[in-house]
Amino acid sequence: MIAGELAVRVYYEDTDAAGMVYHANYLKFAERARTELLRQIGFSQRRLREESGIGFAVRRCNADYLAVGRLDDALTVATEIAAVGAATLSLRQEIRRDGEVLVVLDVVVACIGREGRPRRLPGPLRARLAGSGDPVVTTQSSK
Amino acid sequence: MIAGELAVRVYYEDTDAAGMVYHANYLKFAERARTELLRQIGFSQRRLREESGIGFAVRRCNADYLAVGRLDDALTVATEIAAVGAATLSLRQEIRRDGEVLVVLDVVVACIGREGRPRRLPGPLRARLAGSGDPVVTTQSSK
Amino acid sequence: MIAGELAVRVYYEDTDAAGMVYHANYLKFAERARTELLRQIGFSQRRLREESGIGFAVRRCNADYLAVGRLDDALTVATEIAAVGAATLSLRQEIRRDGEVLVVLDVVVACIGREGRPRRLPGPLRARLAGSGDPVVTTQSSK
Amino acid sequence: MIAGELAVRVYYEDTDAAGMVYHANYLKFAERARTELLRQIGFSQRRLREESGIGFAVRRCNADYLAVGRLDDALTVATEIAAVGAATLSLRQEIRRDGEVLVVLDVVVACIGREGRPRRLPGPLRARLAGSGDPVVTTQSSK
């Protein structure tokens, strides 16, 4: 299955008055990583929305917070696709700093149409997601 | 002209590792206050979007940060409409704590259509905004 | 055990380009509700931090997203304390719109000291949390 | 004077229900760019805070919104230091997409101590900021 890594830097916006990364913000980092993983295999969220009328909605997100991230930390989000269903994706994501796991996320994402109802994953995307292949190193792509 | 006040509580999500309210988040508080001011005079952002196809986009925002907000602060956003143009609104907003002004914002908001192009303010909204009248006390309305 | 409700309005800042509340932002609503529940029983996050040197860190958060929130929605966050441990709290939170449950969250929060290590819950807080009593209606308090 | 560029990708978290980048979030992009510019010349926000007890607070931010950013856009934040005072920095920042300027920001940042009072910029930082030199290309550094 497809897997990837995204580097994420912690800025002031990500932290809170306790001096740590605010817990909800790790979910943003994870979503960035999922988006870059899609992009890396040739699918952009915007094009999927505009051309196929589909998007993704998080159905479940279980987050275990094991250690604390701080300002200026250089984090890595490791993403593995755990299962590809007809209309859902299950992913395991780990947010790490120098190999130490800070947060583990189990995420189920559903494919939905414009009206918000479940939709089957487009065939080519499904094939690409389920396909074997080398791990994909995703980066904060800017091109 | 119309004016209003909105009470805003500072939560962890609003603060950063410097122990202060993160500067960009005051713009969120100001937007909440503008939205509630509209609601108080009978216009919801969602209905305007759905029924008239219009929305508002910030064209200019000048923010002066005079003092620092902190976790748990009970803030007030005072909003005054300074000028109503054909397709724009100018507002003066102050974010205060116990009467002390923390941030002053001068904001110009443009009325735009679905495609993002400028649109004239709907007549009834324009009349209501420009109309004299008692100050409106906006609250974190939940009904 | 203690329970409470907090009214939360959905603003533009909470939504995303899919027209829905961005999934991570429900965790912010839940944290606001936990903070107000604490405040309602006499404990402010800032005073706890300043006077007792303690804070709270989310250890686990399981979120089930059942339905979608949208701009201008008037939501309610219902919070129930499920268990009070020596150094942790377990809570069940539901985010609702007109009685419909949009998101269910199971949250474990740990009491930590300034240095980030686990700390026992202060006795008076623990007693108050575990104590029986009428449900507490929390509001976007601003006083 | 020092100048730099930072690439920023627009994710769902940055957008709102109007389908655009939420206006306050450009201020986050700008802050990331200032932080990376500092890092590129050898100063990290965290080390400055921990070792010199200083931080930066935004004193003024004037933002002109000229065009609209959207999901998946690859943006660039161009930052120029306009003036270096004893305790303040003035910067001009432009957020661009394919050369088109979306937002222009004029920002004044003050150096402050732990207690929030103004502090002189540390000499070595001041010299480096004011120094002539080649433009610095900042990247979403992750190392």
Side-chain angles (χ1 to χ4, degrees), chain A residues 7 9 11-13 28 31-32 36 39 44-46 49 70-74 141-143, chain D residues 7 9 11-13 28 31-32 36 39 44-46 49 70-74 141-143:
Chain A
R9 177 66 76 169
Y11 296 107
Y12 268 114
E13 67 188 88
K28 297 184 178 181
E31 197 270 334
R32 295 180 199 173
E36 293 301 340
R39 193 188 328 276
S44 99
Q45 298 258 26
R46 188 156 103 193
R49 170 171 306 279
R70 299 198 180 275
L71 185 64
D72 274 340
D73 277 352
S141 79
S142 55
K143 286 294 147 359
Chain D
R9 176 68 75 170
Y11 295 107
Y12 268 114
E13 67 188 90
K28 296 184 178 181
E31 196 270 334
R32 294 180 201 174
E36 293 301 339
R39 195 189 326 276
S44 99
Q45 298 259 26
R46 189 157 102 192
R49 171 170 305 279
R70 299 198 182 275
L71 185 65
D72 273 341
D73 278 352
S141 79
S142 55
K143 289 291 148 354

Side-chain angles (χ1 to χ4, degrees), chain C residues 24-38:
Chain C
N25 291 337
Y26 293 105
L27 275 64
K28 296 184 178 181
F29 300 165
E31 198 270 333
R32 294 181 200 172
R34 295 193 300 272
T35 294
E36 293 300 341
L37 189 60
L38 275 182

Side-chain angles (χ1 to χ4, degrees), chain B residues 7 9 11-13 28 31-32 35-36 39 44-46 49 70-74 140-143, chain C residues 7 9 11-13 28 31-32 35-36 39 44-46 49 70-74 140-143:
Chain B
R9 176 67 76 170
Y11 295 108
Y12 268 114
E13 67 187 270
K28 297 185 178 180
E31 198 270 332
R32 295 181 201 174
T35 294
E36 293 301 339
R39 196 190 325 275
S44 98
Q45 297 258 27
R46 189 157 101 193
R49 171 170 305 280
R70 300 199 181 273
L71 184 65
D72 275 340
D73 277 352
Q140 180 89 16
S141 79
S142 55
K143 288 290 148 359
Chain C
R9 177 68 76 171
Y11 295 107
Y12 268 114
E13 67 188 88
K28 296 184 178 181
E31 198 270 333
R32 294 181 200 172
T35 294
E36 293 300 341
R39 195 188 325 276
S44 99
Q45 298 258 26
R46 188 156 101 193
R49 170 170 307 280
R70 299 199 181 276
L71 185 64
D72 274 341
D73 277 352
Q140 179 89 19
S141 79
S142 56
K143 288 292 150 355

Side-chain angles (χ1 to χ4, degrees), chain B residues 2-79:
Chain B
I2 295 293
E5 294 208 346
L6 178 71
V8 171
R9 176 67 76 170
V10 175
Y11 295 108
Y12 268 114
E13 67 187 270
D14 305 310
T15 60
D16 67 16
M20 316 186 290
V21 174
Y22 184 73
H23 68 288
N25 291 337
Y26 293 105
L27 275 63
K28 297 185 178 180
F29 300 165
E31 198 270 332
R32 295 181 201 174
R34 294 193 302 272
T35 294
E36 293 301 339
L37 189 59
L38 275 182
R39 196 190 325 275
Q40 222 66 16
I41 60 172
F43 297 84
S44 98
Q45 297 258 27
R46 189 157 101 193
R47 249 181 303 128
L48 281 170
R49 171 170 305 280
E50 289 173 358
E51 293 171 12
S52 314
I54 64 160
F56 294 96
V58 174
R59 280 289 179 253
R60 187 160 48 215
C61 177
N62 292 356
D64 277 300
Y65 298 90
L66 308 176
V68 152
R70 300 199 181 273
L71 184 65
D72 275 340
D73 277 352
L75 305 180
T76 302
V77 185
T79 302

Side-chain angles (χ1 to χ4, degrees), chain A residues 15-28:
Chain A
T15 61
D16 68 17
M20 316 185 289
V21 174
Y22 183 72
H23 69 288
N25 291 337
Y26 293 104
L27 275 64
K28 297 184 178 181

